[in-house]
Amino acid sequence: MNSIILLASILLTGLAATFFAPLQSLYLVTKMDVPSQYVGAYFFLSTVLSIFLSQRVATYSDKQVSRLPLIRGLSAMGVVSMFVFAYSTNLYVIITTGFLGVSFAIAVAPQLFAYARESYRGDKGDVFMSWARAMISIAWVIGPPLSFSVVSFVDYSTAFMISAGMYLCVLLLSFTMIADVRECTNDEAQEAEQERDDVPFWTTNVVLVSLGFCLFYLALNAYMLAFPIYMVEVLGESEASVGGVFSLTALIEVPAIILCGYLIKRAGSLNLVVLASVVLCAYLTGVVFAQSYLTIYFLVPLAALAVALNSSAGLAYYQSLTETRLGYASTVYNNLIRFGMGVGSLVFGLSGYFDLAFSLKFGAVCALLSFLLLIFSVRYKRHTQLAVEN
């Protein structure tokens, strides 16, 4: 029963994000009249702040008996933040809420994933984590078409209030979760903390992989921010068409992510991540040369495969680094995504000085650089292992 509640909570967290995140750039540009270059700066600064805050939350959570109080508090922050976005007309209040409230709210997801890994270990854990990641993709199947449709036929406030309702459901469900996953004595807690301090996390290989991750999500976010406006203003399509592309991408992601859960042990998490960068580069290159949204629809499976490979295998890689700092590892993974996406926001901002296709072209180059870095990290890891064996 707890597994169903946990999967439902992760799904609702994803739905809350999909009713908010895809709309932000369009909302700020079209409704709040903010120039795209300032929107890019806002996303970058909010990303940097969210990384700092969520990493502090993660370090704190690994030292506590249970993650559930934090999950509840962060969910409550999500409810309040979405309510402010729905009803405030003051740009400065909205920006402040984006910097603080949303920064805390997005920390719910890594805490739920850390809680899930603590609850399910071994091979069973890999499969369950794949299902957990699939919940996020299912959310992207359902969320974007509904959120853009709500905006088209109703307004932004309704979409943001639906997001608030999702966070409220996560808050309520958290009171039904099993709370004794990490119960231990004071001596055991001190021993675990000492073990966390003794185990190095930031090795050379981890740094290389992390840079590759940042470049991957830089490319992905530059595409995600520019794509809705590119579709509407350049290709002349409706907002609903944008939601359709995101929805189809996520629909294909679901079986792909679940399949990755079974492939990680055989192929290796790093090898799957390398493949993800290759596929993303191919997709973004195709979008740059696409002349219609129908062509983009044919390319969508590539985008779905890239995200599925990176998200499933990437999370598995970081959680495998240490069993005693799952909250830290999960949040590092999430924050690398956030940082890459934050820099991608700055790239999107440069579109205001060039054109919307600039973000797509720059993203393709970054995906290629990500591939090169990850290939180097794989070779470095093998060389290090051979040196140790000899």
Side-chain angles (χ1 to χ4, degrees):
M1 186 63 182
N2 194 58
S3 60
I4 296 175
I5 294 172
L6 183 53
L7 289 176
S9 298
I10 293 172
L11 174 61
L12 288 168
T13 302
L15 285 171
T18 59
F19 267 84
F20 175 71
L23 299 176
Q24 273 195 98
S25 59
L26 203 59
Y27 172 71
L28 292 173
V29 170
T30 62
K31 295 299 180 182
M32 302 304 294
D33 296 323
V34 180
S36 60
Q37 53 266 40
Y38 293 138
V39 172
Y42 158 74
F43 277 121
F44 177 74
L45 293 175
S46 64
T47 297
V48 171
L49 181 60
S50 70
I51 289 173
F52 173 77
L53 293 177
S54 61
Q55 208 64 56
R56 295 291 295 178
V57 168
T59 302
Y60 174 78
S61 71
D62 282 336
K63 299 178 181 180
Q64 305 308 304
V65 172
S66 174
R67 300 185 192 278
L68 293 183
L70 269 175
I71 291 173
R72 292 162 189 162
L74 297 172
S75 298
M77 290 293 291
V79 174
V80 174
S81 299
M82 294 303 99
F83 186 85
V84 171
F85 265 86
Y87 291 108
S88 178
T89 58
N90 188 307
L91 178 60
Y92 296 104
V93 172
I94 291 174
I95 295 298
T96 302
T97 302
F99 280 142
L100 297 177
V102 176
S103 295
F104 277 111
I106 62 175
V108 175
Q111 289 301 314
L112 285 172
F113 279 112
Y115 177 86
R117 174 55 76 176
E118 287 175 336
S119 302
Y120 301 93
R121 303 276 184 170
D123 292 342
K124 182 180 179 181
D126 289 332
V127 175
F128 184 84
M129 294 306 295
S130 293
W131 279 100
R133 283 296 311 166
M135 292 300 103
I136 300 296
S137 292
I138 291 173
W140 278 92
V141 173
I142 301 171
L146 289 180
S147 61
F148 281 102
S149 296
V150 168
V151 169
S152 297
F153 296 106
V154 191
D155 54 25
Y156 283 97
S157 295
T158 302
F160 294 148
M161 282 306 298
I162 292 174
S163 180
M166 300 295 180
Y167 278 118
L168 179 60
C169 289
V170 175
L171 173 61
L172 296 176
L173 283 174
S174 68
F175 286 97
T176 67
M177 294 179 186
I178 299 173
D180 59 350
V181 175
R182 290 191 296 155
E183 286 188 352
C184 57
T185 64
N186 291 334
D187 292 339
E188 289 172 337
Q190 292 177 359
E191 183 179 347
E193 184 174 351
Q194 183 62 42
E195 184 179 351
R196 285 193 295 266
D197 295 336
D198 291 341
V199 177
F201 186 88
W202 291 104
T203 63
T204 301
N205 185 63
V206 173
V207 171
L208 290 172
V209 175
S210 298
L211 290 174
F213 265 72
C214 287
L215 285 169
F216 180 93
Y217 283 98
L218 187 161
L220 187 63
N221 198 49
Y223 153 74
M224 289 185 65
L225 289 175
F227 185 71
I229 305 174
Y230 182 81
M231 283 279 284
V232 172
E233 295 187 358
V234 177
L235 299 183
E237 302 298 328
S238 65
E239 290 88 347
S241 298
V242 179
V245 171
F246 285 141
S247 179
L248 180 60
T249 302
L251 180 63
I252 300 173
E253 282 176 29
V254 174
I257 286 178
I258 294 173
L259 179 61
C260 284
Y262 294 94
L263 292 178
I264 288 173
K265 291 293 183 181
R266 294 184 178 182
S269 56
L270 271 183
N271 292 331
L272 294 181
V273 170
V274 171
L275 180 60
S277 295
V278 176
V279 176
L280 180 63
C281 182
Y283 172 71
L284 292 177
T285 302
V287 171
V288 168
F289 292 101
Q291 299 298 317
S292 70
Y293 80 98
L294 289 177
T295 305
I296 294 174
Y297 268 106
F298 282 110
L299 294 171
V300 159
L302 292 177
L305 181 59
V307 176
L309 288 167
N310 187 283
S311 60
S312 184
L315 181 61
Y317 172 77
Y318 278 94
Q319 288 188 332
S320 69
L321 294 176
T322 172
E323 293 294 325
T324 60
R325 304 174 72 184
L326 287 173
Y328 185 86
S330 299
T331 305
V332 165
Y333 168 76
N334 190 67
N335 282 340
L336 287 171
I337 295 174
R338 295 283 299 167
F339 182 77
M341 295 179 81
V343 179
S345 300
L346 292 180
V347 174
F348 166 72
L350 293 176
S351 298
Y353 299 101
F354 299 98
D355 55 40
L356 290 171
F358 172 82
S359 294
L360 303 176
K361 296 173 184 177
F362 194 89
V365 173
C366 288
L368 177 60
L369 292 175
S370 173
F371 162 71
L372 295 176
L373 269 174
L374 291 169
I375 279 289
F376 183 74
S377 71
V378 171
R379 293 182 177 275
Y380 177 85
K381 183 179 180 181
R382 290 175 180 172
H383 176 75
T384 304
Q385 290 176 341
L386 289 174
V388 171
E389 291 174 358
N390 296 330

